[in-house]
């Protein structure tokens, strides 16, 4: 049974430490799967290697179901990672959240849905849905789409167009008609309304590119969905049947575009005054089409020809760092009873610090998507201003300045707990510039050495981890493990997060025997950190927190 909020109970067996318990989050630093392209392994990590060789350590899960995402094919991200490390349990993200929001009606009561619906109703314009039409539940679910169409009908919206991407990856490879034909019948069932599929095609041919790998996919989607350009058909089912006859063995994901037309004119172009919902909830294959809708004149990925003035929203926030998209239908999870709240109720003094790029992560996201402090007297939050330059030009970022302040804080004796984030591995990792990432790692490692010296002097405990991988996987790899090459024969850069585990390291120089320091528990996720940190501070964690990394004797 879940605990209610109350101060933490002291562990009578804990013998105490002179200094604070410090959590170092090396953002985007994991254990790479491949030797080639692992910028962490390629770096001279004197101190991280020393910690790994001399301290109890384990590999922690930081992606997929371990951080509340729908499946273990989903890469972790900084937002859900800091949620998990701050609240000590795994909260539903993505598919489950969307389903719950629809079932409760909250999605339709919230401001974004209301804004998009009123925009259409006031102008007599069209509501468009773009997304993956299947029940794979990795990127989307067709039931979410149907629920939104049903609600739009209740609210009096007369014209809807669906731009249907075919799956064949998360479901059977040639199952498109199992979804498209019933969807056509569903749309036709709303009497007195003009609801139709307007365009579509395979997810690996159009619209759903990721990692900036092939913007021509997004261009093909834009031209079909927005402009109504492409091969014309009288209906979506006929399009699929025609392509299959023409290309025997064609997989759904590879099917070319179809544009539904009457008398040679596309029935569902996206125009000024319309509302558009991208109904995929997973972010990686949503960012590029979102950028095409939201970017201004600086957009240079392809010629959009015409950019309609629309109300655009994603199903969820796809990138919490960049706040993309600007509007979305489902909020982050409602998280309660975080570690920070328990610590302040117990009278523990704490410091949270990073530079601008990740300041919100060690505060807002770590505190369960909560603005502000739990206790003004007990908590200090410090933001070190980030340089406004491309990260590959200053790959060391502000790790030295962050360390300066943390070392002063350790020496001050003011704090029982300090958490900090070094953004280097993630922010520089996203640039895809391998040697810049190596520089960022080695710069960060020097700071780990400085923190070690401060912990030695103060008699504290140093815990080292990450929120997800990134810099550990800097090259695109084929299924056989070989590195993909670009047209110049160079390794193809990978700029996304990885699916790799991350470190769980505890350095306790004044260890007094309260737990087994020869090994840490295996098979856990980063949500195990709060229970661990609470135990290392001499308290008993809440009963429903995920299992600690350490076993108390």
């Amino acid at each position: 049974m879940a605990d209610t909020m109350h101060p933490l109970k002291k562990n009578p067996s804990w013998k105490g430490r002179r200094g604070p318990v410090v959590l170092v989050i090396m953002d985007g630093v994991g254990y790479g799967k491949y030797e080639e392209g692992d910028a962490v392994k390629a770096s001279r990590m004197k101190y991280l290697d020393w910690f790994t060789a001399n301290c109890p350590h384990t590999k922690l899960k930081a992606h997929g179901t371990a951080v509340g995402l729908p499946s273990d094919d989903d890469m972790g991200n900084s937002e859900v990672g800091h949620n998990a490390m701050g609240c000590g349990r795994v909260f539903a993200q993505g598919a489950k959240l969307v389903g719950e929001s629809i079932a409760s009606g909250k999605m339709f009561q919230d401001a974004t849905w209301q804004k998009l619906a009123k925009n259409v109703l006031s102008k007599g314009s069209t509501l468009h849905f773009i997304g993956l039409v299947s029940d794979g539940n990795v990127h989307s679910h067709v039931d979410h789409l149907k629920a939104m169409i049903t609600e739009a009908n209740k609210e009096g919206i007369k014209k809807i167009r669906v731009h249907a991407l075919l799956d064949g990856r998360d479901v059977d490879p040639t199952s498109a008609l199992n979804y498209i034909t019933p969807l056509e019948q569903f749309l036709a069932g709303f009497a007195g309304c003009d609801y139709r599929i307007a365009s579509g095609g395979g997810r690996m041919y159009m619209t759903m590119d990721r990692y900036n790998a092939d913007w021509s996919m997004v261009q093909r989607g834009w031209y079909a969905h927005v402009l109504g350009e492409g091969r014309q058909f009288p209906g979506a089912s006929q399009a699929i049947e025609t392509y299959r006859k023409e290309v025997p063995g064609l997989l759904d994901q590879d099917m070319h575009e179809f544009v539904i037309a009457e008398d040679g004119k596309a029935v569902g172009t996206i125009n000024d005054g319309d509302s558009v919902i991208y109904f995929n909830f997973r972010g990686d294959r949503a960012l590029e089409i979102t950028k095409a809708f939201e970017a201004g004149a600086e957009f240079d990925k392809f010629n959009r020809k015409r950019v309609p003035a629309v109300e655009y929203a994603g199903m969820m926030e796809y990138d919490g760092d960049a706040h993309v998209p600007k509007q979305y239908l489902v909020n982050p999870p409602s998280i309660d009873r975080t570690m920070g709240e328990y610590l302040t109720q117990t009278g523990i003094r704490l410091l949270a610090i990073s530079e601008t790029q990740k300041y919100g992560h060690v505060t807002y996201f770590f505190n369960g998507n909560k603005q502000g402090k739990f206790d003004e007297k007990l908590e200090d939050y410090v933001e070190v201003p980030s340089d406004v330059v491309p990260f590959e030009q200053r790959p060391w970022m502000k790790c030295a300045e962050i360390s300066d302040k943390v070392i002063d804080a350790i020496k001050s004796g003011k704090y029982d707990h300090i958490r900090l984030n070094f953004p280097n591995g993630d922010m520089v990792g996203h640039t895809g510039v391998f040697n810049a990432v190596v520089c960022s790692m080695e710069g960060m490692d020097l700071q780990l050495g400085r923190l070690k010296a401060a912990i030695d002097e103060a008699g504290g405990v140093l815990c080292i981890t990450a929120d997800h991988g990134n810099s550990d996987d800097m090259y695109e790899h084929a299924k056989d493990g070989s590195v993909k090459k670009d047209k110049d024969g160079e390794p193809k850069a990978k700029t996304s997060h990885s699916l790799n585990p991350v470190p769980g390291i505890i350095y306790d120089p004044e260890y007094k025997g309260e737990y087994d320091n020869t090994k840490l528990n295996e098979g856990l996720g980063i949500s195990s950190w709060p229970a661990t940190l609470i135990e290392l501070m001499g308290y008993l964690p809440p009963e429903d927190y995920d299992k600690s990394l350490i076993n108390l004797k």
Side-chain angles (χ1 to χ4, degrees):
M1 184 175 174
D3 290 351
T4 54
M5 282 303 304
H6 55 72
L8 298 168
K9 294 178 181 177
K10 285 191 173 182
N11 177 0
S13 301
W14 191 259
K15 297 172 184 175
R17 301 292 185 272
R18 291 186 295 123
V21 175
V22 178
L23 177 67
V24 179
I25 301 166
M26 305 181 298
D27 211 297
V29 178
Y31 291 106
K33 181 179 178 181
Y34 304 104
E35 188 80 24
E36 199 171 357
D38 186 338
V40 183
K41 283 183 183 171
S43 304
R44 295 177 181 173
M45 304 292 281
K46 174 182 175 181
Y47 295 103
L48 184 57
D49 289 347
W50 185 92
F51 286 123
T52 303
N54 293 280
C55 300
H57 65 278
T58 187
K59 293 182 178 180
L60 299 173
K61 298 172 188 173
H63 76 286
T65 56
V67 288
L69 298 172
S71 82
D72 286 336
D73 291 327
D74 297 318
M75 61 187 180
N77 62 61
S78 298
E79 295 73 52
V80 300
H82 283 77
N83 281 169
M85 286 188 289
C87 73
R89 297 100 78 211
V90 177
F91 281 78
Q93 312 267 355
K96 190 173 181 183
L97 276 180
V98 173
E100 290 172 349
S101 183
I102 289 172
S104 69
K106 187 176 187 304
M107 175 192 288
F108 307 122
Q109 295 159 11
D110 283 351
T112 300
W113 173 271
Q114 289 293 318
K115 183 179 181 183
L116 267 68
K118 287 175 182 175
N119 176 62
V120 170
L121 288 167
S122 66
K123 296 174 181 173
S125 57
T126 305
L127 175 59
H128 298 264
F129 293 95
I130 306 173
L132 192 65
V133 177
S134 85
D135 57 4
N137 215 33
V138 173
H139 290 268
S140 69
H141 200 295
V142 67
D143 287 353
H144 299 163
L145 171 63
K146 289 179 177 179
M148 289 188 290
I149 291 169
T150 300
E151 177 64 25
N153 179 260
K154 287 179 184 175
E155 296 186 21
I157 292 172
K158 298 297 184 184
K159 189 173 181 181
I160 289 176
R161 292 292 182 264
V162 177
H163 305 270
L165 298 165
L166 310 183
D167 194 347
R169 284 168 73 89
D170 303 321
V171 294
D172 186 86
T174 54
S175 61
L177 289 173
N178 296 342
Y179 304 102
I180 295 300
T181 303
L183 178 59
E184 287 178 314
Q185 295 167 348
F186 173 79
L187 293 169
F190 292 93
C193 295
D194 181 12
Y195 294 178
R196 304 183 62 175
I197 295 176
S199 69
R203 60 180 280 185
M204 299 307 293
Y205 178 74
M206 60 195 294
T207 312
M208 281 179 61
D209 183 43
R210 65 176 176 183
Y211 312 149
N212 300 298
D214 184 1
W215 273 92
S216 68
M217 286 173 58
V218 187
Q219 177 177 318
R220 289 190 286 269
W222 181 270
Y223 285 6
H225 309 323
V226 177
L227 306 179
E229 295 181 5
R231 186 173 174 183
Q232 296 186 346
F233 296 88
S237 291
Q238 295 97 314
I240 294 165
E241 290 165 350
T242 301
Y243 276 129
R244 284 188 178 159
K245 287 175 184 175
E246 293 177 353
V247 187
L250 177 66
L251 301 180
D252 295 342
Q253 63 179 317
D254 300 319
M255 197 168 290
H256 283 206
E257 87 290 338
F258 54 81
V259 173
I260 310 309
E262 290 177 348
D263 301 322
K265 184 178 179 182
V267 303
T269 56
I270 299 176
N271 303 305
D272 289 351
D274 289 348
S275 291
V276 180
I277 293 172
Y278 190 75
F279 65 87
N280 287 11
F281 49 75
R282 177 166 153 176
D284 56 352
R285 294 192 184 276
L287 290 169
E288 292 172 41
I289 187 66
T290 295
K291 185 173 185 177
F293 274 101
E294 293 194 338
E298 76 279 4
F299 184 84
D300 61 358
K301 301 301 182 182
F302 60 88
N303 181 5
R304 291 176 291 182
K305 298 185 181 179
R306 176 174 65 82
V307 184
V310 299
E311 289 290 349
Y312 177 87
M315 182 64 93
M316 301 194 76
E317 188 174 36
Y318 301 131
D319 185 336
D321 290 336
H323 299 297
V324 174
K326 295 170 186 171
Q327 302 184 117
Y328 50 93
L329 295 173
V330 179
N331 290 318
S334 180
I335 296 172
D336 64 351
R337 300 188 301 104
T338 64
M339 180 179 74
E341 191 171 4
Y342 273 113
L343 293 182
T344 52
Q345 285 223 352
T346 310
I348 290 170
R349 304 160 301 173
L350 63 89
L351 168 68
I353 179 171
S354 187
E355 61 178 278
T356 306
Q357 288 297 330
K358 296 292 178 177
Y359 171 74
H361 292 77
V362 291
T363 55
Y364 174 80
F365 288 111
F366 203 93
N367 286 339
N369 308 325
K370 178 189 178 296
Q371 296 282 5
K373 299 174 182 176
F374 294 111
D375 191 313
E376 289 286 344
K377 294 178 181 177
L378 291 171
E379 295 178 282
D380 287 327
Y381 294 170
V382 176
E383 176 182 356
V384 177
S386 291
D387 289 325
V388 187
V389 295
F391 301 114
E392 69 272 19
Q393 295 179 14
R394 299 285 192 281
W396 45 88
M397 298 183 68
K398 295 295 184 181
C399 59
E401 289 85 347
I402 294 168
S403 298
D404 290 344
K405 293 183 181 297
V406 171
I407 290 166
D408 287 345
I410 292 171
K411 289 180 176 179
S412 75
K414 180 181 176 182
Y415 302 101
D416 307 299
H417 172 56
I418 299 168
R419 62 180 182 261
L420 64 134
N421 181 302
F422 289 134
N424 309 57
D426 190 43
M427 304 312 295
V428 186
H430 281 308
T431 70
V433 181
F434 191 89
N435 62 337
V437 180
V438 170
C439 181
S440 81
M441 288 294 95
E442 294 181 353
M444 182 191 71
D445 189 66
L446 292 172
Q447 308 314 314
L448 293 179
R450 297 178 64 207
L451 294 177
K452 177 183 179 296
I455 286 291
D456 286 339
E457 183 180 336
V461 181
L462 191 66
C463 300
I464 301 171
T465 193
D467 52 347
H468 56 76
N470 185 335
S471 53
D472 44 283
D473 192 14
M474 295 300 301
Y475 293 161
E476 293 280 1
H477 287 83
K479 288 183 178 179
D480 64 2
S482 61
V483 175
K484 294 181 180 180
K485 301 296 177 69
D486 63 20
K487 61 184 178 181
D488 298 321
E490 293 295 317
K492 194 172 182 180
K494 182 179 179 182
T495 58
S496 66
H497 300 165
S498 74
L499 300 176
N500 295 325
V502 301
I505 300 171
I506 298 176
Y507 175 57
D508 185 0
E510 296 188 1
Y511 171 71
K512 296 177 182 177
E514 304 98 329
Y515 62 95
D516 182 355
N517 76 337
T518 62
K519 61 182 179 181
L520 301 179
N521 290 317
E522 301 289 333
L524 301 177
I526 54 175
S527 60
S528 287
W529 273 116
T532 309
L533 296 166
I534 287 169
E535 288 183 339
L536 290 170
M537 285 181 244
Y539 294 89
L540 300 175
E543 290 181 2
D544 66 338
Y545 268 28
D546 287 347
K547 183 179 179 181
S548 171
L549 273 62
I550 62 174
N551 288 309
L552 295 171
K553 293 181 178 178

